[in-house]
């Protein structure tokens, strides 16, 4: 357990100007507030704030962070008020304590919606000051170290939460050793049997591995010294959770893991890093494809190092990381290594754009599942590095596609993307990007996003931009629709302030959008407008994003139709005689005069009865095609008296076009009746082969020559 004098001595070493007296005062204040409280282990509660402060002091954090660690549980667990913290320790500490307190009240083992909302709160609390999250990570690390004293169900909840949220956040902040220790502690509590088995395996090899480590440290050190390079070489064992994860991912046994030791070569400057790399590669044969230059291309969290793998003595595979002293400090402690009395604010601004991007997602994303998907992708994935045509470097998640790159350049570039060249060759949107690819995006001002793009885009930024574009288009369409309805209801395009307030809307646009989406019932609007009669709403064509024809009755332009609003789907047009409509539906439906647009097609059903003659199906479908109609689906049933019933789902422009199609069918010799049938029970999405292939089979020579063989 850390003691307060040990903490202040450590702070004094890296921050001689720190107010050590204030840190001591915070300790006395916290000890008094927590007096009489004990932890699950039986230790006095003050041992926990002291341990958290000790972790932060080991990271070299500023005095405000260390004081916050000592006080972080006082507001939540004692009678201390935030105003007392501010009065005694200043506004900066009070703000940090408040942020840590808010995060401490958040749990992630709830429903998806609640989990998303909790993560929103956490990011918002963190985004104002990154030190809030650093204090919380130190708090969680000490809680994990003492997790064995809490009940099993609580251990599992805290462990899963740590693995899913806090360890990835530590990785994102570059705090590597905290991430590793958290993962090993979670592993020991959630999978104790696997953990113990792996420990036994490691202990069985420990003597041999230590001998190998010491020998290789000496060999590499001597090779570098012979070339006049001042360097320090450290070997370390891989942590247990990473070994376990690799065994699970590659489906191998412990005996098949050969890279159990990794070496770090620490030198004075970046130039010497590359010289050391050349010496290592001349000493041992490098493993192809395992070299990564994170000095020239730093990771998004600011990490820099050269990574390579070589085949050492006795074919022993070795992983080696080469970096400067400054890079090493950052690799271990992340943002905290640059915080204390140095350049913390600069590090915060330059290295953690991802945090600001997450806060932007919070503002733009309404769907909790969508938000969590974006967060998980942003926290867990590794990166690929690609280049623009001008040589600019972009870090994208592994598995990214061209649209992800386009939206990373600029939202407008993404919206207007019509094609892509990768390394000079034209490629499609489904192509996976690889390290070193050079990407050129081709654009057109006439291009706009397609919903199919969501299948290709992988990054949160690209997917969010595409969804936002469609939401904006749908909102504009809803406003236009709402304006039409409002005009028919009150005789003018804008409503009175009283109507806007009655429906709880912000302004005219909000009211119109809600009317156009169907969020406001038509009968309520008529009641407020004191209008008992509603003139038919005139529509031309079909704006697919804001209205659609009902599948139950398949109306077409020219039919007597009623418009009924359904939340999330906009206006659904039903035939006036649709059997699916109830009396309540009629009350909230609009009478609509629906005119078609040339070239715009709609599905509707036709029932045909014919004699069971050879070639009948081929003749009927031929006449439908001759009438400029397409067939989306069909069903054929044999009836008594050598008769056949054919049900078609055809595409027509309007009632006039439908009449032409029906006359064309009736002219076929052997057809006894043709009638419109709205409830055909066909979807237009046949199971199995595409319908075009089915028709090709039906039109085969055998069918044409030998007739329908359906009996």
């Amino acid at each position: 357990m850390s003691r307060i004098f040990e903490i202040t001595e450590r702070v004094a070493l890296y921050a001689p100007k720190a107010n050590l007296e204030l840190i001591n005062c915070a300790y006395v204040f916290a000890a008094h507030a927590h007096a009489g409280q004990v932890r699950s282990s039986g230790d006095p509660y003050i041992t926990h704030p002291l341990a958290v402060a000790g972790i932060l002091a080991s990271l070299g954090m500023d005095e405000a962070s260390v004081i916050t660690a000592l006080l972080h549980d006082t507001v939540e667990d004692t009678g201390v008020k935030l105003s007392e913290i501010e009065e005694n320790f200043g506004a900066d500490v009070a703000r940090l304590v408040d942020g840590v307190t808010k995060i401490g009240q958040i749990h992630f083992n709830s429903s998806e919606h609640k989990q998303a909302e909790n993560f929103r709160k956490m990011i918002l609390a963190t985004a104002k000051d990154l030190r809030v999250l650093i204090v919380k990570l130190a708090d969680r690390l000490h809680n994990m170290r003492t997790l064995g004293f809490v009940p099993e169900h609580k251990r599992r909840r805290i462990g899963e939460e740590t693995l899913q949220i806090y360890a990835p956040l530590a990785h994102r902040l570059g705090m590597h050793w905290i991430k590793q220790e958290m993962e090993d502690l979670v592993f020991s509590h959630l999978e104790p049997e696997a953990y113990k088995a792996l420990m036994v395996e490691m202990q069985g090899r420990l003597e041999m591995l230590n001998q190998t480590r010491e020998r290789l440290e000496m060999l590499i050190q001597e090779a570098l010294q012979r070339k006049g390079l001042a360097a320090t070489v450290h070997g370390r064992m891989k942590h247990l959770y990473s070994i376990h994860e690799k065994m699970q991912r590659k489906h191998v046994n412990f005996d098949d893991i050969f890279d159990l030791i990794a070496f770090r070569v620490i030198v004075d400057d970046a130039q010497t890093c590359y010289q050391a790399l050349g010496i290592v590669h001349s000493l041992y044969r490098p493993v192809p494809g395992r070299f990564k230059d994170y000095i020239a291309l730093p990771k998004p969290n600011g990490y820099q190092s050269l990574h390579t793998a070589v085949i050492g003595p006795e074919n022993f595979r070795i992983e080696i990381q080469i970096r400067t002293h400054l890079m090493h400090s950052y690799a271990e402690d992340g943002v905290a290594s640059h915080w204390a009395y140095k350049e913390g604010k600069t590090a915060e601004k330059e290295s953690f754009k991802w945090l600001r991007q997450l806060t932007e997602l919070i503002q733009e994303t309404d769907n909790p599942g969508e938000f969590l998907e974006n967060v998980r992708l942003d926290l867990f994935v590794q990166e690929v590095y690609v280049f623009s045509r001008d040589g600019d470097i972009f870090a994208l998640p592994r598995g990214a596609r061209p649209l992800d790159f386009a939206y990373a350049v600029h939202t407008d570039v993404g919206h207007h993307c019509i094609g892509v060249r990768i390394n000079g060759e034209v490629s499609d949107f489904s192509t996976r990007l690889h390290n070193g690819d050079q990407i050129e995006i081709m654009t057109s001002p006439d291009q706009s996003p397609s919903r199919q793009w969501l299948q290709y885009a992988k990054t949160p930024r690209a997917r969010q931009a595409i969804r936002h574009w469609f939401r904006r288009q749908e909102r504009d369409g809803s406003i236009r629709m709402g304006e039409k309805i409002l005009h028919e209801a009150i005789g003018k395009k804008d409503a009175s302030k009283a109507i806007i307030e009655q429906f709880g809307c912000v302004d005219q646009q909000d009211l119109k959008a809600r009317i156009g989406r169907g969020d406001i019932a038509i009968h309520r609007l008529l009641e407020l407008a004191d209008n008992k009669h509603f003139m038919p709403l005139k529509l031309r064509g079909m704006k697919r994003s804001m209205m659609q024809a009902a599948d139950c009755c398949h109306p077409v332009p020219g039919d007597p139709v009623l418009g009924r609003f359904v939340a999330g789907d906009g206006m659904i047009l039903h035939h006036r005689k649709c059997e699916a409509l109830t009396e309540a539906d009629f009350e909230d439906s609009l009478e609509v005069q629906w005119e078609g647009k040339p070239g715009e097609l709609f599905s509707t059903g036709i029932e045909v009865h014919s004699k069971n003659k050879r070639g009948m199906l081929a003749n009927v479908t031929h006449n439908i095609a001759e009438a400029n109609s397409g067939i989306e689906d069909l069903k054929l049933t044999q009836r008594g008296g050598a008769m056949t019933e054919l049900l078609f789902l055809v595409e027509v422009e309007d009632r006039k076009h439908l009449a032409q199609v029906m006359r064309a069918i009736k002219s076929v010799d052997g057809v006894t009746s043709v009638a419109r049938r709205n409830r055909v029970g066909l979807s237009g999405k046949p199971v199995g082969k595409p319908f075009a292939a089915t028709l090709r089979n039906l039109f085969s020579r055998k069918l044409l020559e030998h007739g329908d063989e359906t009996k």
Side-chain angles (χ1 to χ4, degrees):
M1 179 190 77
S2 297
R3 298 176 183 176
I4 190 60
F5 73 86
E6 294 172 342
I7 293 170
T8 52
E9 285 179 357
R10 189 176 296 167
V11 172
L13 288 175
Y14 64 78
K17 295 181 181 179
N19 189 341
L20 303 183
E21 186 59 34
L22 196 62
I23 295 176
N24 280 313
C25 288
Y27 167 69
V28 173
F29 186 96
H32 177 73
H34 290 295
Q37 294 181 344
V38 294
R39 287 173 59 79
S40 300
S41 60
D43 294 332
Y45 196 91
I46 191 62
T47 58
H48 171 63
L50 270 172
V52 176
I55 292 170
L56 292 176
S58 70
L59 289 170
M61 292 299 293
D62 63 348
E63 70 183 47
S65 301
V66 175
I67 292 171
T68 299
L70 292 167
L71 303 173
H72 76 276
D73 278 337
T74 55
V75 174
E76 183 177 5
D77 295 337
T78 74
V80 173
K81 292 182 171 55
L82 198 62
S83 57
E84 294 179 62
I85 301 287
E86 184 171 359
E87 182 181 344
N88 288 279
F89 302 100
D92 192 29
V93 170
R95 187 173 60 253
L96 292 175
V97 170
D98 186 41
V100 176
T101 301
K102 287 176 179 175
I103 293 179
Q105 295 168 347
I106 295 172
H107 300 291
F108 296 92
N109 62 329
S110 52
S111 66
E112 186 177 75
H113 188 281
K114 187 68 175 174
Q115 197 175 8
E117 184 57 34
N118 286 341
F119 206 97
R120 287 171 189 261
K121 293 176 182 176
M122 181 177 183
I123 295 301
L124 287 173
T126 299
K128 296 174 184 176
D129 195 322
L130 205 54
R131 291 176 294 176
V132 170
L133 185 52
I134 296 173
V135 174
K136 183 59 188 176
L137 288 173
D139 170 56
R140 177 51 62 104
L141 178 60
H142 183 252
N143 281 333
M144 288 301 302
R145 289 173 177 173
T146 57
L147 196 63
F149 295 102
V150 302
E152 184 180 352
H153 71 279
K154 195 172 180 180
R155 281 205 306 271
R156 182 158 294 276
R157 174 182 68 77
I158 294 173
E160 289 174 351
E161 189 176 273
T162 301
L163 197 61
Q164 293 171 12
I165 302 296
Y166 291 103
L169 281 171
H171 170 71
R172 262 306 198 173
L173 292 178
M175 304 169 82
H176 195 63
W177 71 269
I178 289 181
K179 167 187 176 286
Q180 288 189 338
E181 186 174 343
M182 280 183 175
E183 288 176 340
D184 277 354
L185 288 167
V186 171
F187 182 31
S188 69
H189 288 293
L190 295 192
E191 299 185 63
E193 296 302 321
Y195 179 82
K196 289 174 185 175
L198 201 53
M199 279 287 288
V200 170
E201 294 280 9
M202 282 294 289
Q203 287 169 355
R205 290 193 182 189
L206 203 56
E207 185 177 350
M208 181 271 291
L209 288 172
N210 277 324
Q211 291 175 356
T212 302
R213 177 182 58 78
E214 291 171 1
R215 182 161 58 96
L216 288 174
E217 278 179 356
M218 183 182 65
L219 288 172
I220 296 171
Q221 185 92 52
E222 289 176 351
L224 294 171
Q225 287 175 348
R226 281 197 301 270
K227 297 295 183 179
L229 267 63
T232 305
V233 182
H234 295 294
R236 61 174 180 83
M237 305 295 178
K238 278 199 168 185
H239 68 295
L240 291 179
Y241 181 75
S242 69
I243 297 172
H244 171 71
E245 195 178 40
K246 189 170 186 177
M247 289 168 59
Q248 298 301 309
R249 187 175 67 250
K250 295 195 171 184
H251 305 288
V252 296
N253 297 320
F254 180 79
D255 292 335
D256 299 316
I257 304 293
F258 299 105
D259 51 347
L260 295 173
I261 306 176
F263 291 87
R264 290 167 179 161
V265 178
I266 316 297
V267 297
D268 292 331
D269 53 51
Q271 182 179 350
T272 309
C273 289
Y274 292 99
Q275 294 174 343
L277 176 70
I279 294 169
V280 169
H281 280 183
S282 66
L283 189 64
Y284 300 116
R285 188 172 76 254
V287 178
R290 296 293 295 171
F291 170 67
K292 294 176 182 176
D293 188 345
Y294 292 120
I295 294 178
L297 301 172
K299 289 187 176 184
N301 63 5
Y303 174 88
Q304 288 184 289
S305 187
L306 296 179
H307 287 199
T308 189
V310 298
I311 304 299
E314 302 171 5
N315 287 326
F316 197 87
R317 181 166 166 163
I318 310 167
E319 288 189 354
I320 300 175
Q321 300 166 359
I322 306 172
R323 58 180 72 136
T324 67
H325 292 283
L326 186 61
M327 292 173 189
H328 180 64
S329 174
Y330 189 86
E332 290 301 295
D333 298 335
V335 66
S337 67
H338 291 303
W339 200 280
Y341 308 95
K342 298 175 188 174
E343 48 181 332
K345 297 301 178 184
T346 302
E348 183 182 16
K349 286 180 181 177
E350 295 300 321
S351 302
F352 302 102
K353 294 177 182 177
W354 63 273
L355 191 58
R356 292 195 298 276
Q357 290 171 355
L358 274 184
T359 59
E360 290 172 7
L361 284 175
I362 289 173
Q363 308 301 330
E364 296 176 1
T365 310
D366 297 323
N367 184 302
E370 177 185 316
F371 175 70
L372 277 182
E373 172 198 346
N374 293 340
V375 169
R376 288 168 185 146
L377 182 63
D378 196 70
L379 285 180
F380 285 97
V381 298
Q382 295 178 314
E383 297 81 22
V384 295
Y385 298 88
V386 297
F387 297 86
S388 70
R389 185 180 59 179
D390 299 327
D392 295 325
I393 300 171
F394 289 81
L396 297 170
R398 187 169 294 178
R401 304 299 197 268
L403 281 172
D404 299 310
F405 174 81
Y407 279 101
V409 174
H410 196 278
T411 301
D412 287 340
V413 174
H415 285 343
H416 300 301
C417 177
I418 59 170
V420 60
R421 289 190 182 95
I422 301 178
N423 302 323
E425 296 185 2
V426 176
S427 304
D428 58 42
F429 288 165
S430 63
T431 305
R432 184 169 177 156
L433 302 183
H434 297 93
N435 275 321
D437 282 345
Q438 187 176 55
I439 318 297
E440 180 185 354
I441 299 296
M442 296 172 282
T443 61
S444 167
D446 299 325
Q447 177 68 303
S448 59
S450 160
R451 289 194 184 275
Q452 192 177 12
W453 286 11
L454 290 170
Q455 299 175 18
Y456 304 126
K458 303 299 178 183
T459 61
R461 175 172 180 170
R463 295 174 67 84
Q464 187 62 27
I466 295 167
R467 288 178 175 131
H468 185 68
W469 187 89
F470 279 106
R471 278 197 291 267
R472 189 171 65 246
Q473 297 301 309
E474 289 167 2
R475 176 176 168 80
D476 292 345
S478 296
I479 289 172
R480 289 194 298 272
M481 172 68 74
E483 191 171 88
K484 283 186 178 183
I485 296 170
L486 196 62
H487 185 266
E488 298 297 341
I490 66 175
K492 48 188 176 182
K493 293 183 178 180
D494 291 331
S496 66
K497 188 176 180 180
I499 291 179
I500 294 174
E501 292 176 352
Q502 183 68 33
F503 286 115
C505 298
V506 178
D507 52 25
Q508 294 282 357
Q509 299 294 83
D510 187 31
L511 175 69
K512 292 172 183 176
R514 291 182 61 189
I515 293 172
R517 286 197 307 267
D519 295 343
I520 295 175
I522 299 300
H523 73 272
R524 287 196 61 207
L525 180 64
L526 293 175
E527 287 170 2
L528 282 178
D530 196 23
N531 185 359
K532 303 300 181 186
H533 302 288
F534 203 101
M535 295 296 291
L537 186 67
K538 295 181 180 179
L539 299 176
R540 183 171 175 80
M542 175 71 74
K543 296 289 184 183
R544 302 282 181 175
S545 63
M546 53 191 278
M547 67 187 95
Q548 56 183 302
D551 290 334
C552 51
C553 53
H554 296 294
V556 297
D559 280 340
V561 292
L562 295 174
R564 179 172 169 267
F565 285 101
V566 176
D569 293 327
M571 181 186 283
I572 309 297
L573 299 180
H574 289 263
H575 196 286
R576 209 173 228 296
K577 296 182 180 179
C578 178
E579 297 175 12
L581 291 176
T582 65
E583 289 186 15
D585 292 331
F586 275 96
E587 183 181 0
D588 265 336
S589 296
L590 292 172
E591 188 175 341
V592 178
Q593 288 183 357
W594 184 22
E595 297 179 11
K597 272 186 178 178
E600 195 169 7
L601 299 175
F602 301 90
S603 301
T604 195
I606 297 177
E607 181 181 83
V608 179
H609 288 96
S610 70
K611 296 177 182 177
N612 191 7
K613 296 174 61 176
R614 290 184 177 180
M616 179 58 69
L617 179 58
N619 292 335
V620 171
T621 53
H622 173 77
N623 278 24
I624 291 174
E626 286 292 307
N628 295 318
S629 177
I631 302 172
E632 284 200 341
D633 202 355
L634 70 79
K635 182 179 178 183
L636 185 149
T637 307
Q638 293 298 317
R639 300 297 185 193
M643 296 294 291
T644 300
E645 178 187 80
L646 300 168
L647 298 178
F648 292 97
L649 196 63
V650 298
E651 292 180 322
V652 297
E653 291 185 4
D654 51 25
R655 279 175 65 92
K656 185 178 179 181
H657 187 195
L658 175 61
Q660 293 172 359
V661 174
M662 293 175 69
R663 283 197 296 271
I665 296 172
K666 202 164 188 178
S667 68
V668 175
D669 184 34
V671 171
T672 58
S673 68
V674 181
R676 186 170 178 189
R677 181 173 170 185
N678 292 329
R679 299 177 72 85
V680 291
L682 301 177
S683 66
K685 299 174 183 176
V687 178
K689 299 179 182 177
F691 186 67
T694 306
L695 278 186
R696 280 196 295 273
N697 292 338
L698 291 172
F699 277 113
S700 66
R701 182 181 300 276
K702 182 177 179 181
L703 180 63
L704 290 172
E705 291 180 357
H706 302 292
D708 301 340
E709 298 179 3
T710 53
K711 292 184 180 181

